[in-house]
Amino acid sequence: MRLTRELVGRIPRNEHDPGPLPSYLSEAERAASLAATLAHPRARQPVWVFGYGSLIWKPGFPFAERRVGSLYGYHRQFCLLVKRFRGTPEVPGLMLGLERGGICRGVVYRLSETERDEALKTVWAREILTAAYVPHWADVRTPEGTVRAIAFVINRGHERYTGRLSDEAVADALARACGHIGSCAEYLLETVTHLEELGIRDRNLWRLQSLVAERIAGRTVR
């Protein structure tokens, strides 16, 4: 693996937080989205949540069980522009989304009945901060059997949806963008590292980490 913590550390940290953006949903809107998801005809108990990016290495909510699983019909893709957290309005970054087609291997978390509501509030405050992701009930295949889980699919109608970008364009953005919580290169490094630890080799992300490392090492970051 070419991308290292030393290379990631070369990206200047931007400590300034631009604050909530106009597109952020209100607490009431997020609560309504959560209620509608749990009331959906395809909803199942117990509730499972599918993670494919930072939810793998930093879930931030309590769970009773975790399994490696495969979601068919979707794949990871850097397709969401970010202007806060790991990017700025001046130098926006990119985050992963679930796009249609292919297979996405990740993890599923089973929420306990006693902690379900608080866990979901935490997940919604993070994943449904804007309407960029859409909660979707989907079947995830695991070695222990198939479970119905909530997956957060990219909203193609959102203003920050980029569509499919070339690997070179994605690498350029990931090698430069940094917000007040860290850089996009760090996000990529953590995702690839933890996927590898789970025995998951995402060929697209593996190529991207090499391209991003090349750009940082070559001092192309401005």
Side-chain angles (χ1 to χ4, degrees):
M1 188 151 136
R2 295 184 62 188
L3 188 60
T4 64
R5 298 195 186 281
E6 188 276 329
L7 284 174
V8 168
R10 295 185 192 180
I11 301 175
R13 184 71 171 262
N14 190 321
E15 301 291 346
H16 175 65
D17 179 5
L21 302 178
S23 60
Y24 282 16
L25 299 180
S26 67
E27 187 173 337
E29 288 172 319
R30 288 196 301 273
S33 167
L34 175 53
T37 301
L38 294 178
H40 195 279
R42 299 190 70 195
R44 293 288 185 274
Q45 297 293 337
V47 174
W48 294 76
V49 174
F50 181 70
Y52 57 91
S54 62
L55 286 182
I56 293 177
W57 46 271
K58 193 177 181 181
F61 58 87
F63 56 89
E65 181 183 357
R66 185 179 87 154
R67 301 180 189 175
V68 174
S70 299
L71 174 62
Y72 285 74
Y74 294 93
H75 65 278
R76 300 181 186 81
Q77 186 173 302
F78 279 99
C79 58
L80 179 65
L81 207 65
V82 288
K83 299 181 180 181
R84 192 185 178 202
F85 299 112
R86 293 189 183 276
T88 65
E90 296 76 24
V91 185
L94 290 168
M95 301 295 280
L96 288 168
L98 280 177
E99 269 281 28
R100 301 171 194 166
I103 304 171
C104 182
R105 296 191 67 204
V107 298
V108 280
Y109 300 95
R110 177 172 62 83
L111 309 183
S112 69
E113 280 192 34
T114 56
E115 297 179 301
R116 187 200 73 173
D117 291 346
E118 285 305 312
L120 287 173
K121 285 180 183 178
T122 299
V123 173
W124 247 251
R126 174 169 159 181
E127 302 299 313
I128 310 295
L129 189 61
T130 70
Y133 296 121
V134 178
H136 172 70
W137 287 97
D139 291 332
V140 179
R141 301 182 193 178
T142 80
E144 298 82 6
T146 299
V147 301
R148 181 63 58 84
I150 300 171
F152 297 97
V153 176
I154 194 69
N155 176 4
R156 288 184 166 187
H158 196 270
E159 62 184 4
R160 291 191 287 115
Y161 172 66
T162 66
R164 184 166 187 84
L165 302 171
S166 69
D167 286 349
E168 289 69 24
V170 172
D172 286 344
L174 299 185
R176 297 181 67 231
C178 188
H180 66 285
I181 72 165
S183 67
C184 285
E186 177 189 37
Y187 173 85
L188 174 64
L189 174 64
E190 294 290 356
T191 303
V192 173
T193 299
H194 284 78
L195 285 173
E196 289 286 315
E197 290 175 357
L198 293 169
I200 300 172
R201 171 65 61 89
D202 185 306
R203 288 180 295 177
N204 183 50
L205 296 193
W206 190 257
R207 171 170 161 74
L208 283 174
Q209 64 83 23
S210 181
L211 292 174
V212 171
E214 179 182 276
R215 282 154 171 74
I216 298 173
R219 305 191 180 191
T220 59
V221 179
R222 296 289 183 268

